[in-house]
Amino acid sequence: MYALVEFKGKQYKAEKGALLKVDRIDAEVGSAVNIDSVLLVSGDTVSVGAPYVQGASVKAVVENHGKDKKIIVFKYMPKKDYRRKKGHRQQYSYIRIQDIVGA
């Protein structure tokens, strides 16, 4: 059984017990997160929402927070003495899927 969920503008495939790496959420480690925007639920039958499945939700728990590797952003214009160098580290959270409700 799995569900396709939309969380913070991105879509994820959620299975019971799976660990998802999502954009950082403002929640303590160990706190519960409820995701109501379920696009599809697959169990014995497949339920497809328009756009969301009514009464379906996914329950998850925040496991950890962290940062990705640094990405270098370099802008350059030849012959114009224009060079800009920046770094960016995306913050993320790991959530563990506990249950899929409404299957």
Side-chain angles (χ1 to χ4, degrees), residues 9 14 17 29 32 37 43 51-52 62 69-70 80 83 95-96 100:
V29 174
S37 54
Y52 302 120
V62 178
K69 293 191 296 187
K70 183 174 275 194
K80 301 294 181 190
R83 288 158 180 79
I95 60 172
R96 175 121 8 226
I100 299 172

Side-chain angles (χ1 to χ4, degrees), residues 1 4 15 21 37 46 48 59 75 77 87:
M1 170 194 289
L4 295 180
E15 295 179 294
K21 183 179 178 181
S37 54
V46 177
V48 179
K59 296 180 182 179
K75 296 181 180 181
M77 292 179 77

Side-chain angles (χ1 to χ4, degrees), residues 39-87:
L39 303 169
L40 179 137
V41 176
S42 174
D44 296 333
T45 61
V46 177
S47 300
V48 179
Y52 302 120
V53 178
Q54 295 294 326
S57 66
V58 174
K59 296 180 182 179
V61 172
V62 178
E63 288 221 341
N64 199 2
H65 299 294
K67 288 184 180 181
D68 263 340
K69 293 191 296 187
K70 183 174 275 194
I71 295 173
I72 303 299
V73 179
F74 187 72
K75 296 181 180 181
Y76 167 77
M77 292 179 77
K79 304 176 195 161
K80 301 294 181 190
D81 194 29
Y82 179 81
R83 288 158 180 79
R84 300 291 182 265
K85 182 178 177 181
K86 286 186 178 181

